[in-house]
Amino acid sequence: MNFPSKLIEDAVNEFSKLPGIGKKTALRLVLHLLKQPKERSVQLGEAVMRMRDEIRFCRECHNVSDSDICNICANPRRDRSLICVVESLRDVMAVENTNHFNGVYHVLGGIISPMDGIGPDDLNIESLIARLQKNQVREIVMALSPTMEGDTTIFYLTRKITPLNIRVTAISRGISVGGELEYTDEITLARALVNRIPYESFLVKG
Amino acid sequence: MNFPSKLIEDAVNEFSKLPGIGKKTALRLVLHLLKQPKERSVQLGEAVMRMRDEIRFCRECHNVSDSDICNICANPRRDRSLICVVESLRDVMAVENTNHFNGVYHVLGGIISPMDGIGPDDLNIESLIARLQKNQVREIVMALSPTMEGDTTIFYLTRKITPLNIRVTAISRGISVGGELEYTDEITLARALVNRIPYESFLVKG
């Protein structure tokens, strides 16, 4: 692509480094910003730089935070004896949005994935064990993706946690609410059959 | 969406103001930036702000430019007696990429669209007429979108230009190269039939 302006070329190049944004989309974004009042671009630019510059990670759970301790860990009404282990911030937000979890979190910062060269030492696992040894924790809920990597991570963590005599659970796997049985893959359906639940606890109280 | 951090919320909000980017995509971009080295975010932020701050528009053709006169208008090897009228910078880039145009441009900054409240006075039409009166111009090529608004704009401009005794042409409409006849809509096919061309001038010399 030939750009009439070096400034535009630079902005397009920076945008197109973002995931899912190619050169054409980047150009569309840049031309949109050019049509908007100048403040829009300043706000976007500053928000991005400030975010990256001032962001901190919670000392307790490694969730992103504006301060030393995140809002969830600092909330006295949260059950600190129930810890949900997740991969990333996005998963914290997903669980939070259900409004069905009142415990605290532990963000691993990834999952064990030998293919990508990510081992247990690259994750926030030691701090999790330290937390469990220091605090009174009754249950750990593993909320990791139902993939080979997620299962490997759960297996590794469970082996580490078992000596501490803490209950380990994992979010259930089964067919999606609203999903159609005939389109469900056989592995999911098999697990949904094996892990069937009594009718009384069947309905989600939303 | 509940965000664990005001900084992240701000950045997500700014990204999601861009066209085609919703909250979920914006969050994905922000989390990507968080995982990248800090310089990435600084480069993106600065490129956006610098672009909007320092960009200028060519005094002659209203194309975006890094200086007072854009590269195309400043190029002495360009034919200044041939002006291509386009809607926006994107169209300048599209025509430039064909490598089949050696004239100069005039960027209208939009097309006449009563539905969107855009009239002739909102476009760079007066400066086009002034350019035509001042310089020796032999042909104006209208390269506007083949829509109702584009046709209206061409009609309006042609009426303005006719008294100046300058040849007005428009890019041809017809079936796309590589397109299939059976899937071409009837209006396009009808125009391709009416505006049929002699076989000698048929092949595009690429």
Side-chain angles (χ1 to χ4, degrees), chain B residues 16-200:
Chain B
S16 63
K17 284 177 190 161
L18 296 172
I21 296 189
K23 291 262 170 171
K24 286 216 164 182
T25 308
L27 180 62
R28 195 157 59 95
L29 300 181
V30 166
L31 294 182
H32 172 85
L33 284 175
L34 270 182
K35 276 194 186 169
Q36 299 284 319
K38 201 166 151 181
E39 297 79 54
R40 267 293 169 73
S41 304
V42 174
Q43 279 164 5
L44 172 62
E46 278 182 353
V48 167
M49 293 199 286
R50 191 148 31 82
M51 184 251 324
R52 195 61 185 83
D53 199 41
E54 295 176 17
I55 201 83
R56 278 187 279 178
F57 292 91
C58 174
R59 205 168 31 159
E60 281 286 309
C61 71
H62 306 286
N63 191 8
V64 296
S65 168
D66 293 344
S67 50
D68 244 22
I69 296 281
C70 76
N71 292 338
I72 295 170
C73 288
N75 189 341
R77 287 162 63 190
R78 288 286 190 148
D79 182 355
R80 314 185 114 262
S81 70
L82 178 63
I83 296 182
C84 180
V85 173
V86 291
E87 182 184 337
S88 70
L89 156 68
R90 213 183 317 201
D91 299 335
V92 172
M93 290 176 63
V95 175
E96 279 298 284
N97 282 335
T98 66
N99 286 322
H100 272 73
F101 182 73
N102 193 38
V104 291
Y105 293 90
H106 192 87
V107 180
L108 292 179
I111 44 179
I112 297 173
S113 172
M115 293 283 280
D116 303 315
I118 301 172
D121 295 342
D122 301 315
L123 308 178
N124 301 319
I125 291 178
E126 266 184 44
S127 62
L128 173 65
I129 305 300
R131 245 177 116 178
L132 299 180
Q133 283 163 340
K134 203 176 62 183
N135 303 315
Q136 202 73 296
V137 176
R138 75 184 149 85
E139 184 177 342
I140 300 276
V141 186
M142 302 286 181
L144 300 177
S145 298
T147 58
M148 186 72 88
E149 289 80 12
D151 285 351
T152 306
T153 310
I154 291 177
F155 178 75
Y156 181 89
L157 287 175
T158 308
R159 277 197 25 188
K160 283 262 185 187
I161 296 167
T162 306
L164 301 172
N165 213 8
I166 295 167
R167 190 176 172 222
V168 177
T169 56
I171 52 170
S172 63
R173 283 113 195 248
I175 57 168
S176 303
V177 178
E180 298 214 37
L181 214 65
E182 60 173 319
Y183 299 126
T184 309
D185 66 290
E186 53 268 47
I187 300 176
T188 303
L189 194 53
R191 293 203 69 157
L193 274 170
V194 171
N195 300 330
R196 61 190 176 276
I197 43 179
Y199 181 71
E200 301 85 63

Side-chain angles (χ1 to χ4, degrees), chain A residues 25-63:
Chain A
T25 308
L27 180 62
R28 195 157 59 94
L29 300 182
V30 166
L31 294 182
H32 172 84
L33 284 175
L34 271 183
K35 275 194 187 170
Q36 298 286 317
K38 201 166 152 182
E39 297 79 52
R40 266 293 168 74
S41 303
V42 174
Q43 280 165 4
L44 172 62
E46 279 183 351
V48 168
M49 292 199 286
R50 191 148 30 83
M51 186 252 324
R52 195 62 184 82
D53 199 41
E54 296 177 15
I55 202 82
R56 278 187 277 177
F57 292 91
C58 175
R59 203 168 31 156
E60 281 285 308
C61 71
H62 306 286
N63 191 7

